[in-house]
Amino acid sequence: MKRILINITTALGLVFYATSAFSDGTATLRQGTPITSEAEAPPITKEENTDVKRVRNYPEQPPTIPHQIRDYQITLNANKCLSCHARTRTGESQAPMVSVTHYMDRDNQVLATVSPRRYFCNQCHVTQVSARPLVENEFIDVEDLIKGEQ
Amino acid sequence: MAPFKKIFCLVAGLWSRANRPAKHLSIGFLTIGGFVAGVMFWGGFNTALELTNTEEFCVSCHEMGDNVFAELKTTIHYSNRSGVRASCPDCHVPHNWTDKIARKTQASKEVWGKLFGTIDTREKFQAERRRLAGHEWDRLKANNSLECRNCHSVESMDITVQSARAATAHQTFLFTGEKTCIDCHKGIAHHLPDMTGVEGWE
């Protein structure tokens, strides 16, 4: 009997602790919606299609895609991105050519065509949407970091 | 009994008169009769065409339903903010009457394909895909992308509200007549076949 009572009090304590943790404003992606109810879905955001290149945060960053890519097929059969970004296609499309790193294999040997490891563009390049960030971004650009130290 | 007898006599009379050589019939009767028959024939013909000119008819064959139709469903031509849907015949059967009949006669070849089960799996379809897509590209190239233009006309295209990429491409190559829709917009409705060797693709 005593054992059961102890168990019940511990369980109640845990429940109390858990609920207070959620109500005291701990930052969660649920933004205060209690765990027991369903959060309202945020509105669907729009893919940005401004055609204006964005600044890269560091030199090796794969640039984000400044245009929409709806229904662009990248399959075994076809690569829509390369129909504009491949070396031979840039004259007509006026798109920036994929950089030379995309033609290199892992021994830095430059190949005639885009290297297989760079075939699936979306592995590294993504579009951006007009969403407000859920958490604050504390990234500091290396330029600012250097300036701050001087 | 009397009314039936009357009608019988009337019909028999008409028949015997119609059976007489044409020189006894007025030119007017011939013209009007011919016209009426023509209207009836065309009506039936049109109805038959209307029936075969629907999405349901096209996808009634699993070749179409399981492959191209399933793929179409995720694209902008199936669901978009404007609420206008392009269905199979919008892109594949010319609205022009003579072209339409020509296409329908070609379609009987497809029925043979169905009967003899030439393309009954996804794998077989993928294997035939380059050839079938080629037929469509050739057709759209030859008619200057007529089906696309039935909905999208260059005259009503406002490039100032298009994205910069679209506006530049359309201004440089479309408005000058150098290229047509299908040159640049392949694969907008279905998965693409193996594109090696197709102009403009790597």
Side-chain angles (χ1 to χ4, degrees):
Chain A
M1 189 61 193
K2 210 176 176 186
R3 245 229 169 105
I4 293 173
L5 268 181
I6 290 174
N7 278 350
I8 290 175
T9 12
T10 329
L12 278 177
L14 275 175
V15 168
F16 180 72
Y17 178 75
T19 42
S20 65
F22 279 112
S23 51
D24 71 4
T26 312
T28 70
L29 292 183
R30 297 180 60 81
Q31 296 186 324
T33 315
I35 198 89
T36 46
S37 54
E38 196 159 329
E40 200 177 306
I44 293 172
T45 50
K46 273 220 172 82
E47 196 174 42
E48 285 183 5
N49 189 24
T50 57
D51 288 316
V52 178
K53 290 184 194 171
R54 299 185 195 90
V55 175
R56 302 181 205 182
N57 290 312
Y58 46 93
E60 323 86 301
Q61 184 209 317
T64 54
I65 308 173
H67 54 72
Q68 60 101 7
I69 56 166
R70 184 185 163 141
D71 293 334
Y72 284 6
Q73 296 175 33
I74 307 176
T75 64
L76 205 59
N77 286 338
N79 188 319
K80 173 82 177 170
C81 311
L82 285 178
S83 75
C84 286
H85 286 283
R87 182 178 61 84
T88 50
R89 300 292 308 153
T90 53
E92 196 179 300
S93 67
Q94 290 297 304
M97 186 189 102
V98 291
S99 66
V100 71
T101 55
H102 296 60
Y103 288 85
M104 291 176 180
D105 65 11
R106 61 180 177 183
D107 303 317
N108 283 354
Q109 185 74 42
V110 181
L111 310 171
T113 55
V114 167
S115 161
R117 61 185 188 148
R118 291 284 170 108
Y119 186 81
F120 294 101
C121 319
N122 304 45
Q123 228 176 297
C124 305
H125 298 282
V126 290
T127 53
Q128 300 290 294
V129 293
S130 57
R132 260 194 293 145
L134 289 170
V135 290
E136 196 194 337
N137 186 348
E138 288 167 354
F139 178 83
I140 300 169
D141 195 299
V142 68
E143 292 275 327
D144 297 332
L145 211 59
I146 295 168
K147 271 185 216 143
E149 272 178 359
Q150 281 164 353
Chain B
M1 237 11 214
F4 289 106
K5 211 167 179 184
K6 226 181 202 167
I7 290 174
F8 176 79
C9 291
L10 196 71
V11 170
L14 273 178
W15 175 247
S16 61
R17 205 182 296 175
N19 237 3
R20 262 183 254 146
K23 63 178 180 189
H24 293 292
L25 285 175
S26 72
I27 292 294
F29 182 83
L30 276 181
T31 332
I32 293 169
F35 181 75
V36 169
V39 165
M40 277 161 65
F41 175 73
W42 262 106
F45 194 66
N46 279 359
T47 317
L49 271 181
E50 289 307 323
L51 283 178
T52 54
N53 212 10
T54 59
E55 194 171 88
E56 293 87 71
F57 171 73
C58 305
V59 302
S60 66
C61 283
H62 59 90
E63 286 90 341
M64 307 283 118
D66 296 349
N67 300 298
V68 279
F69 185 46
E71 295 159 7
L72 178 72
K73 283 183 177 174
T74 60
T75 73
I76 196 159
H77 283 103
Y78 193 77
S79 159
N80 55 60
R81 61 192 166 161
S82 321
V84 180
R85 176 176 296 177
S87 74
C88 329
D90 289 329
C91 288
H92 288 299
V93 184
H95 284 203
N96 178 302
W97 279 105
T98 39
D99 278 4
K100 203 169 196 169
I101 294 158
R103 272 295 297 160
K104 287 293 169 197
T105 1
Q106 273 181 10
S108 350
K109 200 179 90 211
E110 293 174 17
V111 180
W112 279 111
K114 173 77 180 173
L115 287 178
F116 294 107
T118 44
I119 311 180
D120 49 6
T121 64
R122 173 85 181 160
E123 287 67 35
K124 284 189 198 164
F125 187 78
Q126 294 288 33
E128 295 293 331
R129 191 152 218 174
R130 176 64 182 79
R131 178 176 62 87
L132 302 180
H135 292 162
E136 287 309 294
W137 293 331
D138 290 348
R139 188 175 59 79
L140 285 163
K141 180 80 184 160
N143 70 11
N144 197 8
S145 310
L146 175 69
E147 284 77 25
C148 314
R149 290 173 196 262
N150 281 342
C151 287
H152 301 269
S153 89
V154 167
E155 291 74 38
S156 21
M157 210 180 247
D158 181 357
I159 56 166
T160 62
V161 291
Q162 286 188 346
S163 68
R165 270 188 322 153
T168 317
H170 292 156
Q171 234 169 344
T172 326
F173 297 104
L174 178 66
F175 297 170
T176 54
E178 206 172 310
K179 284 176 187 265
T180 186
C181 318
I182 199 64
D183 288 328
C184 302
H185 291 293
K186 292 190 177 72
I188 44 144
H190 318 290
H191 291 179
L192 285 166
D194 188 351
M195 298 300 274
T196 33
V198 178
E199 200 196 325
W201 293 76
E202 287 276 297

